[in-house]
Amino acid sequence: MKLIKACLLTAITAAVLTSCGGSAIVSTPVENIDNVPLKETELTEKEKHNWGHLDLVTDTIPGMSVDKAYAEIIKDKKGKAVIVAVIDSGIDIEHEDLDGVVWTNEDEIPGNGIDDDKNGYVDDIHGWNFLGDAYDEQLEFVRIIVKGDKSNPQYDAAVAEYEEKHQEALANKQRYDQIYEMVKSADETISKHLNKEDYTKEDVGGISSDDANVNQAKAMLQNMYANGFDDTKAALEAIKSGVEYFTDQLNVNLNKDLKGRTTGDDPDDLSDVGYGNGNVLPSEKGESHGTHVAGIIAAERNNGLGANGVANNVKIMSLRAVPNGDEYDKDIALAIRYAVDNGATIINGSFGKYYSPHSDWVRDAIAYASDNDVLFINAAGNEGIDIDKKDVFPNDAIGTGPEVSKTFITVGALEPKYGSGMIAGFSNYGKYNVDVFAPGAKVYSTTPENEYDTKGGTSMAAPAVAGVAALIRSYYPKLSAEQVKQVILDSGLAVKTNVVVGGNPEDVRPFGDLTKSGKMVNAYNALIMASQMK
């Protein structure tokens, strides 16, 4: 399942319920970044759209110093083109900010119905679509129940999980319906009082009234603003998306009667290949996740359009394998192998789940990528939990056991404000299984049909790191994938401050307890360290 949503839903609940009652790197500009002043002012619109590229010291925002890297290191240098495979929900390769960075299989003749390059995939011009025409899918534990194989060691856990998640989705759907109606009512009350539909939070703050209903509506909206919403319309839109999310869970992801997969293959037979098609576009406009991820990595830089990707010199290979629901292990395993066999040197995986019947297939593919000098950048997940204690898939190890890959990086998500709240409340963490943190909350990027939007999740943090990896592989192509991983982990900014964990203000721990490296990724430092590697 695409790793997104938790941050949005947490913020909405908090807002409305309240209203109702390492080692030093020579390039690091200061020895101890914890002496950096905290940013007190709100981010400007420009900063919101680019915060992940900004510099901690210059801007007091915990970005990756990407703009600084271009200005002071990359400049006019010519790099080598790098192929980055994005295993996701499909990519709008016709997007105005992506159409110039799309990988093309030069050995395949478009539309002739022949596997010209003999790689097992017919007309795979820009990648492959392992989902075919399907989009909606169940969660993996629902599929386990539907199969009815009680000998499956995960069967009993799947049944218990279903009962818990189904009741939770029902309750959340009802709660969000109620919240939406409450905020909608408050909006109507304030609009009527101010005699205008479009009003600002300053307008609301200036209201003085003896009407109890107006004052109650004012208090509710001010709490919404305090929790990160710019205006009431944005809050209503966000709450509505919460309603839609839980409705979708009930009607699709948790629906035992759903008929999803239409590719005609056997998902339990890894040798049954060749299914799907070469159409790598999203199936609908709302299937925007992969397009957003691709833009974070490689949206065309400085072209006057909506977003800048982290990396230039990138060609994006689109591998559509992540549906609205849990991905199939077979699709992921084959997508990884396709990426490796067709020239990708970096793979981005912004997806994950907690049940995986064929996790060995995926681990074998991850090991295959490592053996072939390919990096796999992986999103940690969005439940705010310790994944050293709970298995999440994909992973390059079973629990905290031996790793099968030397080139697998798992990434947690940062907020755009340095300090105790810098770890996104939704982000998973783990001293063993999470390698680094990177910008992942409130990230602006491309969405289908030449549009742009702000999304949050470790799904957004992983491609930020994939972009840094692409920069290193472009400008220092002699470095191995294992060396690139070492550079990314070792060159980050070491954070020694205590941070809030899982969005719980009562759970405060040292940043270094949440990740193997104890660092947040920094492109500027990474390029300097890469230049010093042999």
Side-chain angles (χ1 to χ4, degrees), residues 174-392:
Q174 182 179 17
R175 182 164 77 242
Y176 277 83
D177 280 333
Q178 292 172 343
I179 291 172
Y180 182 79
E181 291 303 320
M182 290 165 61
V183 177
K184 182 180 178 183
S185 176
D187 175 47
E188 291 170 351
T189 298
I190 295 300
S191 292
K192 183 178 180 180
H193 178 79
L194 294 172
N195 197 29
K196 56 182 178 180
E197 289 188 6
D198 295 323
Y199 53 84
T200 66
K201 59 183 178 181
E202 287 76 21
D203 291 334
V204 175
I207 290 175
S208 177
S209 175
D210 294 329
D211 188 322
N213 290 332
V214 171
N215 289 330
Q216 183 178 4
K218 173 184 175 180
M220 175 176 289
L221 297 187
Q222 286 184 315
N223 270 292
M224 298 298 294
Y225 302 145
N227 280 273
F229 294 103
D230 293 330
D231 57 57
T232 308
K233 296 296 187 288
L236 280 168
E237 185 178 338
I239 298 166
K240 186 177 181 181
S241 73
V243 173
E244 293 169 350
Y245 173 69
F246 289 113
T247 301
D248 202 43
Q249 274 202 325
L250 292 167
N251 294 341
V252 177
N253 305 144
L254 296 169
N255 183 357
K256 294 179 182 178
D257 297 322
L258 180 75
K259 304 300 180 184
R261 196 171 185 85
T262 61
T263 49
D265 69 303
D266 181 354
D268 295 314
D269 182 358
L270 192 60
S271 66
D272 183 5
V273 298
Y275 59 94
N277 58 56
N279 180 12
V280 299
L281 291 164
S283 63
E284 58 185 61
K285 184 177 180 180
E287 192 179 1
S288 61
H289 192 271
T291 305
H292 199 270
V293 165
I296 293 170
I297 299 169
E300 297 169 42
R301 292 186 59 83
N302 303 321
N303 61 355
L305 298 176
N308 278 342
V310 172
N312 55 5
N313 297 326
V314 166
K315 295 298 179 183
I316 294 290
M317 176 191 291
S318 178
L319 297 171
R320 185 172 180 263
V322 182
N324 175 30
D326 276 348
E327 62 278 0
Y328 284 85
D329 296 329
K330 175 182 175 180
D331 295 345
I332 300 305
L334 292 177
I336 293 170
R337 289 178 180 272
Y338 178 100
V340 174
D341 293 343
N342 289 277
T345 57
I346 299 166
I347 299 171
N348 187 87
S350 289
F351 53 84
K353 57 185 181 178
Y354 296 94
Y355 290 78
S356 183
H358 301 296
S359 61
D360 54 326
W361 292 352
V362 180
R363 271 194 306 278
D364 287 347
I366 290 170
Y368 180 72
S370 179
D371 292 343
N372 284 275
D373 197 41
V374 177
L375 280 155
F376 191 113
I377 314 298
N378 172 55
N382 289 352
E383 282 66 46
I385 61 173
D386 186 345
I387 59 173
D388 289 350
K389 297 179 179 178
K390 181 174 181 177
D391 289 337
V392 62

Side-chain angles (χ1 to χ4, degrees), residues 145-167:
I145 295 171
V146 171
K147 279 187 177 181
D149 181 6
K150 296 184 179 180
S151 66
N152 185 325
Q154 293 185 308
Y155 182 83
D156 290 341
V159 171
E161 184 95 359
Y162 176 83
E163 295 301 326
E164 177 186 349
K165 295 299 183 185
H166 193 264
Q167 290 301 316

